[in-house]
Amino acid sequence: MGNAITRRGFVTVVAAGLLATGLAACGNSDTGDDAGDGNGKIVLGFSQVGAESGWRTANTNSIKESAAAAGIELKFDDAQQKQENQIKAIRNFIQQKVDVIAFSPVVESGWDTVLKEAKDAGIPVILTDRSVDSADKSLYQTFIGSDFVKEGRLSGEWLVEQTKNATGPVNIVELQGTTGSAPANDRKKGFAEAIAANPNLKIIASQTGDFTRAGGKAVMEQFLKANPKIDVLFAHNDDMGLGALEAITAAGKVPGKDITIITIDAVKDGMQALADGRFNFIAECSPLLGDQLMELVKKVHAGESVPARVETEETTFTQEQAKAALPNRKY
Ligand code: AHR
């Protein structure tokens, strides 16, 4: 378990493209309270993906706590992992004339129309956690979140290192996140690119488990039935990996030993599994975006320029590192 990356850090501004033009187009330079609540606070409409994972719960808590601490009035909507619910929520926010809209898009595509409606209404939009594939970057002010391709790449590079002396095929199964979502697309891409360095590494099955424990368990059961030799599981998040543990144990195999397990997120339950040796490696994805998001909300509302992308730095964990980090883990 060699190539630990211990670098911790927080926000890196990776692209300092200024978006003053977009802000000017939005024309939102008043002091708040457009939504008419009469308390003088900035009103933020936030559409969350859902409550599919431990990561998401931590992200929701972070946003709610940070909004309260920043004195921002939060109108929060849970889209239950459905794009149509998010579009409806954004339209409601527009109708209520909130000051700023932020959302974590469940999938990457299909946002242009509603984003244009927000722009036409003069309401700036901030993307959090997940991005969109819109060609027109003026439809939103900034994106704050992780580099998902890098998370997949770090996971693949660790596996390449672990298997450098393998003489035969190493069979990998992949539990993908929600189909069409940025983290599923990007983690798959980064991992595939990294493992190309070792021709022995082969993805023999890859299917979505929708980022949930139940999904991870059900799909892993199918993988185990269909494939007598599985050496590695790459799960796009901890929760699917945790669900898969149940399927692996039920199939009479020892997770972390018979099957090497790599996941992404590093929430407490995942870190515990890693510390216990049931997982083997985790690439971190921080859900604690609330404070930075509120800073951006204040800036875009005040008409200040913001970077095009604000990226949270990634770290990775081996078993020993998970043991050391667990006592102070916040989520
Ligand atoms: O978009 C971030 C991903 O969404 C997290 O990795 C996953 O746990 C969540 O559901």
Side-chain angles (χ1 to χ4, degrees), residues 152-153 155-157 159-160 172 189-203:
R153 196 176 64 238
S155 304
E157 284 171 356
L159 184 61
V160 167
I172 304 166
K189 179 174 186 280
F191 184 77
E193 282 171 4
I195 65 167
N198 180 348
N200 282 321
L201 297 177
K202 286 194 173 48
I203 298 179

CSV table of all heavy atoms in Angstrom, one decimal, residues 152-153 155-157 159-160 172 189-203:
chain,number,residue,atom,x,y,z
A,152,GLY,N,-10.6,9.7,-9.8
A,152,GLY,CA,-10.6,8.4,-10.5
A,152,GLY,C,-9.1,8.0,-10.8
A,152,GLY,O,-8.7,6.9,-10.7
A,153,ARG,N,-8.4,9.0,-11.3
A,153,ARG,CA,-7.0,8.8,-11.7
A,153,ARG,C,-6.1,8.3,-10.5
A,153,ARG,O,-5.4,7.4,-10.6
A,153,ARG,CB,-6.4,10.0,-12.3
A,153,ARG,CG,-5.1,9.8,-13.1
A,153,ARG,CD,-4.6,11.0,-13.8
A,153,ARG,NE,-4.2,12.0,-12.8
A,153,ARG,CZ,-4.7,13.3,-12.8
A,153,ARG,NH1,-5.6,13.6,-13.7
A,153,ARG,NH2,-4.3,14.2,-12.0
A,155,SER,N,-7.1,6.8,-7.8
A,155,SER,CA,-7.6,5.5,-7.5
A,155,SER,C,-6.9,4.5,-8.4
A,155,SER,O,-6.4,3.4,-8.0
A,155,SER,CB,-9.1,5.3,-7.6
A,155,SER,OG,-9.7,6.3,-6.9
A,156,GLY,N,-6.9,4.8,-9.7
A,156,GLY,CA,-6.3,3.9,-10.7
A,156,GLY,C,-4.8,3.8,-10.5
A,156,GLY,O,-4.2,2.7,-10.7
A,157,GLU,N,-4.1,4.9,-10.2
A,157,GLU,CA,-2.7,4.9,-10.1
A,157,GLU,C,-2.3,4.1,-8.9
A,157,GLU,O,-1.2,3.4,-8.9
A,157,GLU,CB,-2.2,6.4,-9.9
A,157,GLU,CG,-2.1,7.1,-11.2
A,157,GLU,CD,-1.8,8.6,-11.1
A,157,GLU,OE1,-1.7,9.1,-9.9
A,157,GLU,OE2,-1.8,9.3,-12.1
A,159,LEU,N,-3.8,1.5,-7.8
A,159,LEU,CA,-4.0,0.1,-8.2
A,159,LEU,C,-2.8,-0.4,-9.1
A,159,LEU,O,-2.3,-1.5,-9.0
A,159,LEU,CB,-5.4,-0.1,-8.9
A,159,LEU,CG,-5.7,-1.6,-9.3
A,159,LEU,CD1,-5.7,-2.5,-8.1
A,159,LEU,CD2,-7.0,-1.7,-10.1
A,160,VAL,N,-2.5,0.5,-10.0
A,160,VAL,CA,-1.3,0.2,-10.9
A,160,VAL,C,-0.1,-0.2,-10.1
A,160,VAL,O,0.6,-1.1,-10.3
A,160,VAL,CB,-1.1,1.3,-11.9
A,160,VAL,CG1,0.3,1.2,-12.6
A,160,VAL,CG2,-2.2,1.4,-12.9
A,172,ILE,N,-11.3,-6.5,-12.8
A,172,ILE,CA,-11.8,-5.4,-12.0
A,172,ILE,C,-13.3,-5.3,-12.3
A,172,ILE,O,-13.7,-5.4,-13.5
A,172,ILE,CB,-11.2,-4.1,-12.4
A,172,ILE,CG1,-9.7,-4.1,-12.2
A,172,ILE,CG2,-11.8,-2.9,-11.6
A,172,ILE,CD1,-8.9,-3.0,-12.9
A,189,LYS,N,-13.6,7.9,-16.2
A,189,LYS,CA,-12.6,8.4,-17.2
A,189,LYS,C,-11.2,8.4,-16.6
A,189,LYS,O,-10.3,7.8,-17.1
A,189,LYS,CB,-13.0,9.8,-17.7
A,189,LYS,CG,-12.0,10.4,-18.7
A,189,LYS,CD,-12.6,11.7,-19.1
A,189,LYS,CE,-11.8,12.4,-20.2
A,189,LYS,NZ,-10.7,13.1,-19.8
A,190,GLY,N,-11.1,9.0,-15.4
A,190,GLY,CA,-9.8,9.1,-14.7
A,190,GLY,C,-9.2,7.7,-14.4
A,190,GLY,O,-8.0,7.5,-14.6
A,191,PHE,N,-10.1,6.8,-13.9
A,191,PHE,CA,-9.6,5.5,-13.5
A,191,PHE,C,-9.2,4.7,-14.8
A,191,PHE,O,-8.1,4.1,-14.8
A,191,PHE,CB,-10.8,4.8,-12.8
A,191,PHE,CG,-10.4,3.4,-12.3
A,191,PHE,CD1,-9.7,3.3,-11.1
A,191,PHE,CD2,-10.8,2.3,-12.9
A,191,PHE,CE1,-9.4,2.0,-10.6
A,191,PHE,CE2,-10.5,1.0,-12.4
A,191,PHE,CZ,-9.8,0.9,-11.2
A,192,ALA,N,-10.0,4.8,-15.8
A,192,ALA,CA,-9.7,4.0,-17.0
A,192,ALA,C,-8.3,4.5,-17.6
A,192,ALA,O,-7.5,3.7,-18.0
A,192,ALA,CB,-10.8,4.2,-18.1
A,193,GLU,N,-8.1,5.8,-17.6
A,193,GLU,CA,-6.9,6.3,-18.2
A,193,GLU,C,-5.7,5.9,-17.3
A,193,GLU,O,-4.7,5.5,-17.9
A,193,GLU,CB,-6.9,7.9,-18.1
A,193,GLU,CG,-7.8,8.4,-19.3
A,193,GLU,CD,-8.0,9.9,-19.2
A,193,GLU,OE1,-7.5,10.6,-18.3
A,193,GLU,OE2,-8.8,10.4,-20.1
A,194,ALA,N,-5.8,5.8,-16.0
A,194,ALA,CA,-4.7,5.4,-15.2
A,194,ALA,C,-4.4,4.0,-15.3
A,194,ALA,O,-3.2,3.6,-15.4
A,194,ALA,CB,-5.0,5.8,-13.7
A,195,ILE,N,-5.4,3.1,-15.3
A,195,ILE,CA,-5.1,1.7,-15.4
A,195,ILE,C,-4.6,1.2,-16.7
A,195,ILE,O,-4.1,0.1,-16.9
A,195,ILE,CB,-6.3,0.8,-14.9
A,195,ILE,CG1,-7.5,0.9,-15.8
A,195,ILE,CG2,-6.7,1.1,-13.5
A,195,ILE,CD1,-8.5,-0.2,-15.6
A,196,ALA,N,-4.7,2.1,-17.7
A,196,ALA,CA,-4.2,1.7,-19.1
A,196,ALA,C,-2.7,1.5,-19.0
A,196,ALA,O,-2.1,0.9,-19.9
A,196,ALA,CB,-4.5,2.8,-20.1
A,197,ALA,N,-2.1,2.0,-17.9
A,197,ALA,CA,-0.6,1.8,-17.8
A,197,ALA,C,-0.2,0.3,-17.5
A,197,ALA,O,1.0,0.0,-17.7
A,197,ALA,CB,-0.1,2.7,-16.6
A,198,ASN,N,-1.2,-0.5,-17.1
A,198,ASN,CA,-0.9,-1.9,-16.9
A,198,ASN,C,-1.8,-2.8,-17.7
A,198,ASN,O,-3.0,-2.9,-17.3
A,198,ASN,CB,-1.0,-2.2,-15.4
A,198,ASN,CG,-0.6,-3.7,-15.1
A,198,ASN,OD1,-0.6,-4.5,-16.0
A,198,ASN,ND2,-0.5,-4.0,-13.8
A,199,PRO,N,-1.4,-3.4,-18.7
A,199,PRO,CA,-2.3,-4.2,-19.6
A,199,PRO,C,-2.9,-5.4,-18.9
A,199,PRO,O,-3.9,-5.9,-19.4
A,199,PRO,CB,-1.4,-4.6,-20.8
A,199,PRO,CG,0.0,-4.3,-20.4
A,199,PRO,CD,0.0,-3.4,-19.2
A,200,ASN,N,-2.4,-5.8,-17.7
A,200,ASN,CA,-3.0,-6.9,-17.0
A,200,ASN,C,-4.4,-6.5,-16.4
A,200,ASN,O,-5.2,-7.3,-16.0
A,200,ASN,CB,-2.1,-7.4,-15.9
A,200,ASN,CG,-1.0,-8.3,-16.4
A,200,ASN,OD1,-1.2,-9.1,-17.3
A,200,ASN,ND2,0.2,-8.1,-15.9
A,201,LEU,N,-4.5,-5.2,-16.2
A,201,LEU,CA,-5.7,-4.7,-15.5
A,201,LEU,C,-6.9,-4.6,-16.5
A,201,LEU,O,-6.8,-3.9,-17.5
A,201,LEU,CB,-5.5,-3.3,-14.9
A,201,LEU,CG,-4.4,-3.3,-13.8
A,201,LEU,CD1,-4.1,-1.8,-13.3
A,201,LEU,CD2,-4.7,-4.2,-12.6
A,202,LYS,N,-8.0,-5.3,-16.2
A,202,LYS,CA,-9.1,-5.4,-17.1
A,202,LYS,C,-10.4,-5.1,-16.3
A,202,LYS,O,-10.7,-5.8,-15.4
A,202,LYS,CB,-9.2,-6.7,-17.7
A,202,LYS,CG,-8.2,-7.0,-18.8
A,202,LYS,CD,-8.5,-8.2,-19.6
A,202,LYS,CE,-7.5,-8.3,-20.8
A,202,LYS,NZ,-6.1,-8.2,-20.4
A,203,ILE,N,-11.2,-4.2,-16.8
A,203,ILE,CA,-12.6,-4.0,-16.2
A,203,ILE,C,-13.5,-5.0,-16.9
A,203,ILE,O,-13.8,-4.9,-18.1
A,203,ILE,CB,-13.1,-2.5,-16.5
A,203,ILE,CG1,-12.1,-1.5,-15.7
A,203,ILE,CG2,-14.5,-2.4,-15.9
A,203,ILE,CD1,-12.5,-0.1,-15.9
